[in-house]
Amino acid sequence: MAVMKANLQSLDIGDTFLTKYEIRGLIGRGGQATVYRCHDTFIDREVAIKIMVDSFETKREHSRRAQMEARVLCKLHHPNIVHVYDAGATDAGAIYIIMELLKGRTLRDVLRDLQNLTLYETLSIGAQIADAVEVAHGEQVIHRDLKPENVFIVEGNRVKVLDFGIAKFLALTGITTQRDTLQGTMWYISPEHVQGHGVTARSDIYALGSILYESISGTPPCLVGLQEISTPAVAWSQINRVPPLLDELIPSVPGHVARLIQRMLVKEPSERPSSMAEVGEALRSSCARLQSESAG
């Protein structure tokens, strides 16, 4: 029997959602959504269900945005993007997305345990992220919140990019987050985003560069040498401070890797790589070069 609870943010183990999804546990809860681990009793498989909740926006506007997120996510078919099986709205108007259940851990969890990754691991993971986000860019979607928490590592160091919940849909003006509203985690957002100049595909490239820099050095580039870690200080750093090249911090980092990541972190968007496709190709080329030099 379908659960009739008014508050879908607090479903309990054993409750049933939409007549066939048995709640098995809570995966996570954020400001705009709650994600549950569920069992599809009809076809006998484990799934994750993301249920959108009302936020600071009006209920009507939030529902429209949640619907557009669900529609776009269902179009994003790529091995490095979490697969969406279905989406819809309950009779009460709550938007839900039914997704594959992932087994592994986030890149943030990995970095918390190991502090940093090897060069080859970093470049390989970065290329997979670039491939996934390039597909989104092809659908006129900017992620806006790339960070280690939204990169999921499954078996074999395969990547799944998560949470397009605050993505900006370029072709759908008026249905997305308000223009120039500051969203995302401050450590990874681009200077133009901090300044309210809007975001482009190259803003995601800046975020990926920050992730790669941290994965190698153990510290996000905006925090290197920063004496005070506060929102104003980090914002100022993102706009004004150029981080040292990685090969200056870690002499064992090859110059071609350091220069590639530094180019992704340039303050002026037009001077960054032109697309995630270009970034992915460059990262794979650097991987191949590392392997060749190691073999030699």
Side-chain angles (χ1 to χ4, degrees), residues 9-75:
Q9 301 176 59
S10 59
L11 298 178
D12 298 320
I13 293 176
D15 286 340
T16 301
F17 179 69
L18 296 179
T19 73
K20 69 172 187 175
Y21 296 107
E22 180 184 322
I23 305 298
R24 293 287 178 86
L26 175 67
I27 294 176
R29 178 178 287 121
Q32 298 185 14
T34 302
V35 183
Y36 296 100
R37 179 171 61 87
C38 303
H39 179 72
D40 184 336
T41 59
F42 187 77
I43 58 176
D44 190 25
R45 70 176 172 189
E46 299 297 300
V47 299
I49 297 183
K50 178 179 182 179
I51 301 176
M52 313 296 187
V53 298
D54 291 336
S55 63
F56 56 87
E57 300 169 298
T58 65
K59 184 173 182 178
R60 181 179 179 183
E61 178 64 14
H62 177 71
S63 295
R64 293 173 68 198
R65 285 188 51 240
Q67 181 183 21
M68 294 315 303
E69 179 193 352
R71 287 181 176 179
V72 172
L73 280 174
C74 287
K75 294 179 180 179

Side-chain angles (χ1 to χ4, degrees), residues 130-148:
D131 291 346
V133 179
E134 173 62 20
V135 170
H137 290 172
E139 293 289 342
Q140 301 298 298
V141 176
I142 298 170
H143 192 287
R144 288 167 63 109
D145 197 25
L146 282 178
K147 56 187 177 182

Side-chain angles (χ1 to χ4, degrees), residues 31 74-75 85 90 144 169 202 212 247 259 291 295:
C74 287
K75 294 179 180 179
Y85 300 128
T90 66
R144 288 167 63 109
F169 309 104
R202 284 174 166 156
L212 300 181
D247 56 354
R259 290 190 297 272
Q291 287 181 310

Side-chain angles (χ1 to χ4, degrees), residues 90-142:
T90 66
D91 292 340
I95 306 295
Y96 62 87
I97 302 175
I98 300 169
M99 305 173 286
E100 66 176 312
L101 180 66
L102 301 177
K103 296 181 180 179
R105 54 182 180 162
T106 67
L107 179 58
R108 170 61 66 214
D109 293 331
V110 174
L111 292 176
R112 188 178 292 116
D113 289 345
L114 303 179
Q115 188 174 4
N116 58 358
L117 304 179
T118 68
L119 281 173
Y120 184 82
E121 287 171 335
T122 298
L123 298 177
S124 175
I125 287 172
Q128 294 179 69
I129 297 171
D131 291 346
V133 179
E134 173 62 20
V135 170
H137 290 172
E139 293 289 342
Q140 301 298 298
V141 176
I142 298 170

Side-chain angles (χ1 to χ4, degrees), residues 18-279:
L18 296 179
T19 73
K20 69 172 187 175
Y21 296 107
E22 180 184 322
I23 305 298
R24 293 287 178 86
L26 175 67
I27 294 176
R29 178 178 287 121
Q32 298 185 14
T34 302
V35 183
Y36 296 100
R37 179 171 61 87
C38 303
H39 179 72
D40 184 336
T41 59
F42 187 77
I43 58 176
D44 190 25
R45 70 176 172 189
E46 299 297 300
V47 299
I49 297 183
K50 178 179 182 179
I51 301 176
M52 313 296 187
V53 298
D54 291 336
S55 63
F56 56 87
E57 300 169 298
T58 65
K59 184 173 182 178
R60 181 179 179 183
E61 178 64 14
H62 177 71
S63 295
R64 293 173 68 198
R65 285 188 51 240
Q67 181 183 21
M68 294 315 303
E69 179 193 352
R71 287 181 176 179
V72 172
L73 280 174
C74 287
K75 294 179 180 179
L76 301 181
H77 300 295
H78 190 274
N80 297 122
I81 297 177
V82 62
H83 183 65
V84 174
Y85 300 128
D86 195 9
T90 66
D91 292 340
I95 306 295
Y96 62 87
I97 302 175
I98 300 169
M99 305 173 286
E100 66 176 312
L101 180 66
L102 301 177
K103 296 181 180 179
R105 54 182 180 162
T106 67
L107 179 58
R108 170 61 66 214
D109 293 331
V110 174
L111 292 176
R112 188 178 292 116
D113 289 345
L114 303 179
Q115 188 174 4
N116 58 358
L117 304 179
T118 68
L119 281 173
Y120 184 82
E121 287 171 335
T122 298
L123 298 177
S124 175
I125 287 172
Q128 294 179 69
I129 297 171
D131 291 346
V133 179
E134 173 62 20
V135 170
H137 290 172
E139 293 289 342
Q140 301 298 298
V141 176
I142 298 170
H143 192 287
R144 288 167 63 109
D145 197 25
L146 282 178
K147 56 187 177 182
E149 289 83 351
N150 285 336
V151 176
F152 202 87
I153 311 297
V154 298
E155 186 178 2
N157 275 352
R158 292 185 299 114
V159 164
K160 296 282 187 176
V161 176
L162 308 178
D163 200 359
F164 286 80
I166 63 168
K168 181 176 182 180
F169 309 104
L170 295 181
L172 300 169
T173 57
I175 304 180
T176 64
T177 50
Q178 295 181 358
R179 183 177 181 272
D180 300 340
T181 298
L182 185 61
Q183 298 195 58
T185 300
M186 186 68 73
W187 292 1
Y188 308 96
I189 60 179
S190 63
E192 63 270 18
H193 196 175
V194 175
Q195 296 176 89
H197 295 162
V199 297
T200 67
R202 284 174 166 156
S203 304
D204 281 347
I205 290 174
Y206 184 93
L208 178 54
S210 297
I211 292 171
L212 300 181
Y213 194 106
E214 179 182 3
S215 296
I216 294 172
S217 70
T219 305
C222 66
L223 299 187
V224 175
L226 198 64
Q227 298 301 313
E228 174 194 358
I229 301 178
S230 64
T231 297
V234 172
W236 184 90
S237 177
Q238 292 286 35
I239 296 169
N240 298 291
R241 296 178 73 249
V242 177
L245 281 158
L246 277 167
D247 56 354
E248 295 175 5
L249 282 180
I250 308 170
S252 61
V253 174
H256 63 93
V257 173
R259 290 190 297 272
L260 170 59
I261 294 175
Q262 197 76 359
R263 187 178 166 217
M264 298 169 68
L265 294 171
V266 172
K267 304 299 184 184
E268 172 54 48
S270 64
E271 296 178 10
R272 296 174 204 149
S274 61
S275 68
M276 278 293 189
E278 180 184 341
V279 170

